Amino acid sequence: MKLGPILLSPIVALSILALSRPSNSLENGLAKTPPMGWISWERFTCDIDCSPGNQNDCISKQLYTRIADSLISKGFREVGYEYVNIDDCWSSKSRVEGRLEPDSERFGENGIKELADELHRKKLKLGIYGDCGVETCAHYPGQLASNSSLDGNYFDVDAQTFAAWGVDSFKFDGCNIDFVQAEQICPAMTEALKKTERPILVTCEWPFYLLRYTETKPNFEVARKSCNLWRYFDDIFDSWQSVMSVLDFTIKMQDTILQYHGPGSWFDPDQLVIGNFALSRDQALTQMALWSVWSAPLFMSNDLDKLHDDYAKILKNKKLIQVNQDELGVFGLMVAERSEQNGKSMVFVKPVSEFTNECPSFVVMYFYRSSLGNDFPVSFGLREILTKSSEAIKVAAKRKHTSADRCLERLNSNPTVIRGYKWEDLVEDQRGEVNLDEQLKLYVNPSGVRVIKLEELS
Ligand code: GLA
């Protein structure tokens, strides 16, 4: 589509206005860029057997201390991974005088506070887990006292407990509650956390259950105001199929995500399963690159002490992390796909913050979805893929407080206006130059990606 002189119709103007929404996200000053860290769920689930031989791997103070030490010694803290998040199964099975307590055998009486203090000394942060229903998904005490009612909930008392322990992040699950009522009930927990005056990052799962298991669409404005992160799809598993199911669902929702996702409040496609048992190196790189292009939270769930170097290298790729942490926080869209002889190729484009001549720079990712044959030359016209990312460019421009019109005009105008781009591969040491009207051709491994950054030649 060519753009003529830019006169915005009221509808376009309104939709651009709607994209700004800064005041509608949760304003607790946190998650200005996607948070990074580690979480126990996918790898360690609800393993509470701390008998000899399994003490390293059960949900206990020892596990989180071990991981904290490895984040530091293996260079993960240095590249930005800072949260150590406890998931389900940390508490005792019942409350004591109405209060939550950690399981004393696995954590010690004062274990969470001690863990938080230790992590803070190590310049890390501690996350904890709860549930907006009467029980967590693994049937530990939740924050609600009786089903579907606000009466007798534990929101304030638990928020005070978490703050007193020095917790920095709280994952609020949505099992064991009437999903439809969750939207009315659960946001009050965020208010309770705010009242403590301790900055606590909030991850919500309750919007997910509504989206997944009912006919009702969650109110994304409510989620955005109540949650720094919000899950929208099934739990990720340690399998390529699971990663691909997240991909498919995310692409279906991408136009909505683009509008509501950004500094302060992020859609969360769930944990990085890189370095566990299932993903090949190419598949692992694909997950890392996708999460980076999506500006998704980077929470690993793996065993850092058993991680093969190749996977550690993928997780610590500074250039990809920089893409993930780009200050504009734009959700990179899938802008083109094509059937190839042995599979399918897809292109993702994420506008990032360095602007030249009113246009952002771009991260372009090619994904070759195939499990047959050799690496394959994926090729798309550069002008086509950049112009197809116009909605993402509008979000980037809005966040940069510039107008997207001039940029879109330049991308659509005759070939001499934009001389071309220099490109840099963010994984392999390769670079080059490409003109706007050329085909951008890159060889991509099956199940693999190529990720390049394009900066306009001045
Ligand atoms: C749900 C969540 C998971 C994990 C488990 C814990 O399934 O989606 O991420 O927290 O509960 O029981």
Side-chain angles (χ1 to χ4, degrees):
M1 183 184 66
K2 297 258 179 212
L3 288 186
I6 305 294
L7 272 180
L8 294 184
S9 75
I11 292 175
V12 174
L14 268 179
S15 62
I16 290 177
L17 263 182
L19 291 175
S20 62
R21 293 198 177 98
S23 60
N24 287 346
S25 64
L26 173 52
E27 278 174 7
N28 57 4
L30 300 172
K32 292 295 172 208
T33 61
M36 297 173 64
W38 182 94
I39 187 163
S40 50
W41 181 252
E42 197 289 321
R43 175 71 181 235
F44 297 97
T45 62
C46 189
D47 182 352
I48 55 169
D49 169 15
C50 291
S51 57
N54 200 44
Q55 279 150 333
N56 250 342
D57 291 345
C58 63
I59 300 301
S60 65
K61 191 167 168 227
Q62 191 176 327
L63 171 66
Y64 299 98
T65 309
R66 168 167 87 80
I67 293 296
D69 290 342
S70 302
L71 282 173
I72 299 167
S73 65
K74 296 180 191 303
F76 285 92
R77 183 186 65 180
E78 194 186 313
V79 294
Y81 294 91
E82 58 173 349
Y83 285 93
V84 175
N85 294 308
I86 300 173
D87 207 282
D88 211 343
C89 311
W90 61 270
S91 76
S92 58
K93 273 285 188 169
S94 42
R95 289 173 178 269
V96 181
E97 291 170 13
R99 291 183 180 272
L100 285 175
E101 287 193 346
D103 179 280
S104 58
E105 283 187 10
R106 291 181 283 119
F107 285 86
E109 302 284 326
N110 206 18
I112 306 291
K113 168 98 180 80
E114 287 165 7
L115 195 54
D117 289 346
E118 185 180 338
L119 260 54
H120 295 154
R121 273 196 304 277
K122 292 178 171 163
K123 301 205 169 15
L124 292 168
K125 294 182 170 148
L126 179 67
I128 206 160
Y129 167 95
D131 190 289
C132 189
V134 286
E135 286 184 347
T136 69
C137 302
H139 306 295
Y140 285 75
Q143 269 62 60
L144 210 59
S146 72
N147 240 326
S148 317
S149 152
L150 264 184
D151 297 334
N153 71 59
Y154 295 105
F155 292 1
D156 276 313
V157 68
D158 289 354
Q160 296 294 340
T161 302
F162 297 147
W165 284 343
V167 159
D168 306 291
S169 173
F170 176 60
K171 173 172 167 181
F172 201 28
D173 213 329
C175 280
N176 304 307
I177 184 175
D178 173 354
F179 300 147
V180 179
Q181 289 213 29
E183 203 164 72
Q184 274 78 53
I185 294 174
C186 310
M189 183 66 190
T190 302
E191 296 310 311
L193 289 165
K194 270 195 208 153
K195 263 191 265 161
T196 70
E197 291 184 13
R198 183 175 175 80
I200 299 182
L201 185 134
V202 189
T203 297
C204 306
E205 276 211 51
W206 47 268
F208 151 65
Y209 294 91
L210 200 62
L211 185 69
R212 191 77 174 95
Y213 298 115
T214 76
E215 302 286 297
T216 325
K217 231 183 169 188
N219 181 332
F220 295 115
E221 290 293 351
V222 172
R224 197 177 148 82
K225 254 193 206 153
S226 312
C227 317
N228 295 112
L229 305 179
W230 31 311
R231 285 272 307 280
Y232 57 92
F233 189 60
D234 298 349
D235 288 2
I236 202 161
F237 278 62
D238 184 20
S239 81
W240 179 237
Q241 190 191 12
S242 170
V243 175
M244 288 298 94
S245 69
V246 175
L247 172 77
D248 289 331
F249 193 83
T250 305
I251 288 175
K252 260 194 239 152
M253 276 194 72
Q254 66 174 2
D255 297 334
T256 306
I257 298 181
L258 175 70
Q259 286 184 39
Y260 291 94
H261 176 91
S265 186
W266 311 90
F267 277 80
D268 175 6
D270 210 5
Q271 304 140 91
L272 294 171
V273 291
I274 296 168
N276 289 325
F277 305 99
L279 303 191
S280 70
R281 275 167 304 186
D282 279 293
Q283 293 167 340
L285 181 62
T286 298
Q287 192 191 20
M288 184 69 189
L290 265 175
W291 265 236
S292 299
V293 163
W294 284 341
S295 308
L298 298 180
F299 286 148
M300 308 176 277
S301 188
N302 52 15
D303 189 340
L304 295 178
D305 293 327
K306 294 183 180 161
L307 200 61
H308 189 285
D309 285 353
D310 290 349
Y311 293 91
K313 201 171 148 205
I314 291 170
L315 287 161
K316 289 191 287 187
N317 179 318
K318 284 189 186 159
K319 289 180 183 169
L320 290 181
I321 291 175
Q322 201 182 6
V323 172
N324 175 268
Q325 295 290 301
D326 184 75
E327 60 177 7
L328 300 180
V330 180
F331 178 81
L333 296 174
M334 199 277 284
V335 295
E337 61 184 322
R338 184 194 301 133
S339 290
E340 311 283 7
Q341 199 182 358
N342 292 333
K344 197 182 204 181
S345 53
M346 290 180 171
V347 192
F348 295 75
V349 177
K350 174 177 180 172
V352 289
S353 53
E354 301 81 23
F355 276 57
T356 315
N357 301 326
E358 289 151 293
C359 272
S361 301
F362 296 98
V363 172
V364 174
M365 180 179 117
Y366 281 0
F367 171 42
Y368 179 39
R369 194 169 184 171
S370 160
S371 28
L372 180 68
N374 217 333
D375 58 346
F376 182 81
V378 175
S379 174
F380 284 89
L382 188 55
R383 187 191 289 271
E384 178 205 341
I385 61 179
L386 295 188
T387 49
K388 279 188 171 166
S389 70
S390 62
E391 291 306 314
I393 294 173
K394 287 179 196 165
V395 174
K398 192 79 202 165
R399 292 191 186 149
K400 190 83 178 180
H401 306 294
T402 66
S403 152
D405 305 348
R406 276 279 298 140
C407 174
L408 296 178
E409 205 177 344
R410 294 179 77 248
L411 283 173
N412 280 291
S413 56
N414 80 51
T416 55
V417 173
I418 294 182
R419 271 214 304 132
Y421 294 86
K422 56 178 185 194
W423 63 265
E424 181 199 356
D425 193 305
L426 301 185
V427 180
E428 290 166 29
D429 192 21
Q430 285 181 26
R431 57 202 78 228
E433 286 188 8
V434 59
N435 289 329
L436 191 55
D437 284 303
E438 269 180 271
Q439 293 286 308
L440 177 68
K441 179 167 129 184
L442 300 166
Y443 279 82
V444 192
N445 291 346
S447 304
V449 288
R450 292 289 297 275
V451 196
I452 63 166
K453 185 164 171 192
L454 294 169
E455 277 177 58
E456 193 180 321
L457 291 166
S458 45

